Amino acid sequence: MNRLVHLQPLIILAAVIAGLSLGNFPWIAERSGALIVPLLVVMLYGVFLDIPLHQLRPAFRNIQVTGTSLVMNFLWNPVFAWGLGALFLREHPDLWLGLIMLMVTPCTDWYLVFTNLARGNVALATALLPLNLILQLALLPFYILVLAGTLVTLDLAVLLESVVLVLGLPLLLALITRRALANCREGCWLRDRLLFRIADGQILFLSLAIAAMFAAQGQLLLDRAGVVALLLAPVALFFAVNFLIGQAVGRRLRFSYEDVVTFTFTTLARNSPIALGIALAAFPDRPLIALALVIGPLIELPVLSLIARTLLLIRERFPMPR
């Protein structure tokens, strides 16, 4: 998992380049679009398979950190993302919507790695995962309708159908799989081999979906490549401002260092695969929305690595209560 997380920006970049190259072949370009949603469904099945839904209860034992992180993720971040889009992307509504979709979906997997690297409270971080997942699945359609309804034309029926297909179906299959394996004894081949191979294959299926998207829409995206630079300022501000807020809130509420790390990464790391799945299914004719969600991890993962190192330096020079 650690190795894949560190390589993920390179893997995604390679998928983009491969997709653009394959898009030069008309036969592939015409058919690759049909592969995007099935690949994302399989990828999200692996994501949901990895989510420890049984660990919801421990998240509520630390009410202060859990409550504060929920306010940041599901109240502050949506409003902040909308404001950043209004400031920097007013002339590019598709990128604005992509930014909103990225920033309203907190991470449910790789942020554990960075929490561990910075010596944070990994147990609490793990307990927050299912809570963040459930809330973002429930609220993402609402955010799109309320915050993005004035930016692009929305078809409510298509949006709900996309949520059910891309999110509901793999979540249901993951729950059924976990239920079927609940009584599986130690050493069960299906659980120990197949289950975790599927979970570890998330990045593969995500990369294939990205390659298919760029193969299908490559020329249009190349024609608009210049606008991608417009995402750098709002994304950088999102991380910088929220990092400073995390430090201020942690010290104000007297969080331990370990809890500050957990709070920081759960409010910074984003869940681009889930948002990407909805974007590709609900807005197949607006590839710039998906492009914003592909560019996000290329910026995010190096930034999170830098933040992990910064937190370790802060711990040495400005210790917090334990």
Side-chain angles (χ1 to χ4, degrees):
M1 177 72 172
N2 289 15
R3 185 167 52 197
L4 287 178
V5 168
H6 290 303
L7 291 176
Q8 185 160 340
L10 295 177
I11 294 172
I12 290 176
L13 185 59
V16 170
I17 295 172
L20 291 174
S21 301
L22 291 172
N24 292 318
F25 300 93
W27 186 88
I28 296 177
E30 291 171 5
R31 290 163 175 79
S32 58
L35 299 175
I36 298 173
V37 171
L39 287 168
L40 285 169
V41 168
V42 176
M43 184 272 297
L44 288 172
Y45 170 66
V47 170
F48 297 149
L49 211 53
D50 245 358
I51 300 296
L53 293 175
H54 62 284
Q55 294 194 21
L56 266 175
R57 186 175 298 175
F60 293 101
R61 294 175 185 162
N62 193 330
I63 295 297
Q64 202 172 39
V65 176
T66 297
T68 310
S69 71
L70 292 181
V71 170
M72 281 283 291
N73 273 325
F74 298 106
L75 292 179
W76 163 249
N77 279 347
V79 174
F80 187 33
W82 189 92
L84 288 172
L87 185 62
F88 292 99
L89 302 171
R90 188 174 292 275
E91 303 301 320
H92 304 277
D94 286 4
L95 292 179
W96 189 354
L97 175 53
L99 179 71
I100 290 173
M101 292 181 68
L102 178 64
M103 298 315 179
V104 301
T105 50
C107 183
T108 58
D109 44 32
W110 61 58
Y111 96 94
L112 289 178
V113 175
F114 295 103
T115 301
N116 184 53
L117 288 174
R119 304 295 186 268
N121 187 341
V122 178
L124 176 60
T126 304
L128 285 170
L129 288 185
L131 188 58
N132 283 337
L133 173 67
I134 291 169
L135 287 175
Q136 69 185 266
L137 293 182
L139 293 174
L140 183 56
F142 171 78
Y143 289 138
I144 294 175
L145 287 172
V146 173
L147 298 177
T150 59
L151 303 180
V152 299
T153 302
L154 294 176
D155 187 323
L156 181 58
V158 172
L159 177 61
L160 293 178
E161 180 182 338
S162 302
V163 170
V164 172
L165 174 63
V166 177
L167 301 183
L169 178 59
L171 177 60
L172 178 62
L173 292 175
L175 291 174
I176 292 173
T177 302
R178 281 194 167 274
R179 183 72 175 178
L181 296 176
N183 298 322
C184 187
R185 296 180 179 178
E186 187 174 351
C188 173
W189 178 89
L190 183 62
R191 184 194 61 202
D192 297 340
R193 298 288 182 86
L194 179 61
L195 187 65
F196 294 106
R197 284 184 185 277
I198 293 174
D200 290 340
Q202 297 168 23
I203 182 60
L204 170 63
F205 290 105
L206 175 61
S207 299
L208 290 173
I210 290 171
M213 183 195 80
F214 276 86
Q217 303 284 353
Q219 189 55 53
L220 176 60
L221 294 173
L222 284 175
D223 293 342
R224 304 292 301 278
V227 303
V228 173
L230 297 174
L231 288 169
L232 295 178
V235 171
L237 270 177
F238 174 86
F239 288 120
V241 170
N242 276 5
F243 175 75
L244 294 175
I245 289 175
Q247 293 299 298
V249 168
R251 291 185 180 274
R252 178 69 176 176
L253 298 181
R254 300 188 62 80
F255 291 168
S256 67
Y257 168 79
E258 291 78 10
D259 286 352
V260 167
V261 170
T262 297
F263 177 72
T264 297
F265 283 115
T266 193
T267 53
L268 287 182
R270 301 293 92 191
N271 197 353
S272 57
I274 282 183
L276 181 62
I278 295 299
L280 291 173
F283 308 105
D285 57 339
R286 306 186 81 101
L288 283 180
I289 297 175
L291 180 62
L293 296 166
V294 170
I295 297 301
L298 298 178
I299 303 171
E300 174 187 357
L301 292 175
V303 168
L304 293 182
S305 181
L306 177 62
I307 288 174
R309 294 185 177 91
T310 302
L311 287 168
L312 289 172
L313 289 175
I314 290 175
R315 182 181 65 166
E316 293 178 5
R317 299 187 180 184
F318 307 99
M320 295 180 178
R322 288 180 137 337

